[in-house]
Amino acid sequence: MLYEKLKNKEYKPGTYTNFYVQDPKQRLIHKAPIIDRIVHHLVSKKLEEIFEPTFIACSYSCRKEKGTHKGLRDLQRFTRIVSKNNTQECWALKCDVKKFFASVNHIILFKILTKKIVDNDFLLLLSNIIKSFNSGIINKGMPIGNLTSQLFANIYLNELDQYVKHKLKIRYYIRYMDDFIILSNSRRYLEKLISTIKLFFQNSLDLELHPKKVGIFNLKHGIDFLGYILFPHHILPRTKTKRRLVKKIREKIEAHRKGMITSDSLYQTVQSYLGYLQHSNAYELTEKVKQMIYSELDF
């Protein structure tokens, strides 16, 4: 029994099942056995109790009452403040961590956990979960797909959050998983900040910024974040996302005509796309999507 194994400290994580998903780029997912997922659920609940109070307000991934849309709304609110309602320059430093999940250092993660957790039995269990996976490098990597990985990610990158807010004293900062943005009136200040953040990652978290995903953008030209392009007073879907969305709907409609999917399945898929669009100023595309589905389902 799982209870007995946990009580007697005999529990060992099982073997992961691997598969790929398109999200939109291809990702390798590692699915834990059902027994392990029960353990992950219990562990995550306890970790959340311990670490949630330590997280900053502007961290939006995998947290209650947060998420992409709140992050987007808050970023737009921040841009209005920094730009003084679009009367001054507003620049955004946008960064992404290179291969974040594959690069998390087990030793550093465990050391961070020990700062808040004193129960040795719980630490042993956490150690077993952390060590149950590596990305091909000893003591590195977390599986995409584990509930615990999402929380471990926030705990790990909370170190960055605390550094940015309390050491660098940066007010307008937002992070969603390993993507983050810093706003300023000064492009030069943000340019200098890149090397400071790189050094922090290298020395404190054993991470790297993605060389092709670090950029400084002017608000008047739009800031690409969380699947949308943000301007001072409106939000647009990404151009690539719009094209992919229409293509996917056409593929789903074709599958429906061939009897490969049900009307309910088609309708639910389109509703998810409409849900994405409703958070942006995309009236024409929304109407186009509605016409595509309504004509197919004969509404």
Side-chain angles (χ1 to χ4, degrees):
M1 266 182 78
L2 177 59
Y3 172 78
E4 293 297 327
K5 286 183 179 180
L6 289 169
K7 182 180 177 182
N8 297 326
K9 303 172 196 173
E10 296 171 350
Y11 165 77
K12 297 291 180 186
T15 304
Y16 291 95
T17 302
N18 303 330
F19 59 94
Y20 288 94
V21 297
Q22 209 71 26
D23 182 38
K25 67 180 180 180
Q26 193 178 68
R27 295 181 186 275
L28 179 59
I29 304 298
H30 305 274
K31 184 179 179 181
I34 189 165
I35 292 296
D36 292 349
R37 278 180 273 154
I38 294 170
V39 174
H40 295 166
H41 178 76
L42 296 171
V43 164
S44 295
K45 186 176 179 181
K46 188 63 181 176
L47 284 173
E48 191 174 356
E49 290 175 7
I50 296 168
F51 284 95
E52 176 64 28
T54 73
F55 294 157
I56 66 169
C58 298
S59 162
Y60 293 87
S61 176
C62 307
R63 296 178 64 194
K64 292 174 183 174
E65 299 180 9
K66 297 290 182 177
T68 58
H69 300 125
K70 186 172 191 322
L72 196 69
R73 289 194 303 271
D74 284 354
L75 178 59
Q76 188 173 52
R77 178 167 58 85
F78 287 172
T79 62
R80 287 173 181 165
I81 295 170
V82 173
S83 70
K84 289 185 168 48
N85 250 346
N86 208 27
T87 62
Q88 293 187 8
E89 292 278 16
C90 176
W91 296 91
L93 169 62
K94 184 171 180 282
C95 300
D96 186 298
V97 180
K98 182 180 179 182
K99 296 181 179 178
F100 171 67
F101 278 90
S103 302
V104 168
N105 185 304
H106 293 178
I107 296 169
I108 294 174
L109 173 59
F110 191 72
K111 191 178 292 186
I112 294 169
L113 293 170
T114 60
K115 292 179 184 178
K116 290 288 180 182
I117 301 169
V118 295
D119 187 319
N120 288 329
D121 290 344
F122 190 35
L123 285 171
L124 177 62
L125 177 58
L126 293 173
S127 178
N128 285 336
I129 293 171
I130 292 168
K131 292 177 180 177
S132 70
F133 177 87
N134 69 67
S135 56
I137 303 173
I138 295 173
N139 289 327
K140 277 203 171 187
M142 296 191 305
I144 297 176
N146 271 11
L147 183 60
T148 49
S149 293
Q150 298 173 2
L151 253 173
F152 285 150
N154 270 341
I155 291 167
Y156 203 81
L157 289 174
N158 185 48
E159 300 294 300
L160 169 67
D161 298 342
Q162 300 300 328
Y163 175 72
V164 167
K165 297 298 285 185
H166 301 297
K167 296 291 184 182
L168 300 181
K169 306 292 184 182
I170 291 170
R171 187 172 182 183
Y172 300 109
Y173 162 83
I174 278 180
R175 180 178 64 80
Y176 188 92
M177 197 52 73
D178 60 322
D179 294 334
F180 59 95
I181 277 187
I182 296 170
L183 300 177
S184 173
N185 298 119
S186 170
R187 180 187 178 102
R188 189 174 179 185
Y189 168 72
L190 294 178
E191 287 171 347
K192 291 181 177 179
L193 206 53
I194 295 172
S195 58
T196 302
I197 293 171
K198 280 182 178 178
L199 199 62
F200 171 79
F201 271 137
Q202 180 183 323
N203 294 339
S204 300
L205 295 178
D206 192 22
L207 295 174
E208 294 179 56
L209 290 178
H210 197 300
K212 295 182 180 179
K213 295 183 179 179
V214 174
I216 298 175
F217 305 91
N218 194 303
L219 176 61
K220 64 185 177 185
H221 299 306
I223 300 171
D224 186 337
F225 194 54
L226 299 178
Y228 300 87
I229 307 296
L230 184 144
F231 295 88
H233 299 290
H234 68 284
I235 298 170
L236 299 177
R238 284 176 177 158
T239 302
K240 287 183 180 179
T241 303
K242 289 191 289 185
R243 290 172 183 162
R244 187 170 62 246
L245 184 151
V246 171
K247 181 183 176 184
K248 287 287 185 184
I249 291 175
R250 285 175 176 157
E251 289 174 353
K252 289 285 185 179
I253 288 173
E254 186 62 26
H256 178 256
R257 288 173 180 171
K258 292 178 179 179
M260 297 167 64
I261 62 171
T262 65
S263 296
D264 283 345
S265 176
L266 174 60
Y267 182 76
Q268 288 169 10
T269 298
V270 174
Q271 286 303 309
S272 69
Y273 291 139
L274 291 174
Y276 162 77
L277 292 173
Q278 76 175 4
H279 295 280
S280 65
N281 304 91
Y283 176 79
E284 289 184 9
L285 181 56
T286 299
E287 290 303 304
K288 179 179 179 179
V289 169
K290 286 180 179 178
Q291 287 303 315
M292 290 171 71
I293 184 64
Y294 292 167
S295 61
E296 176 64 20
L297 296 180
D298 196 26
F299 283 180

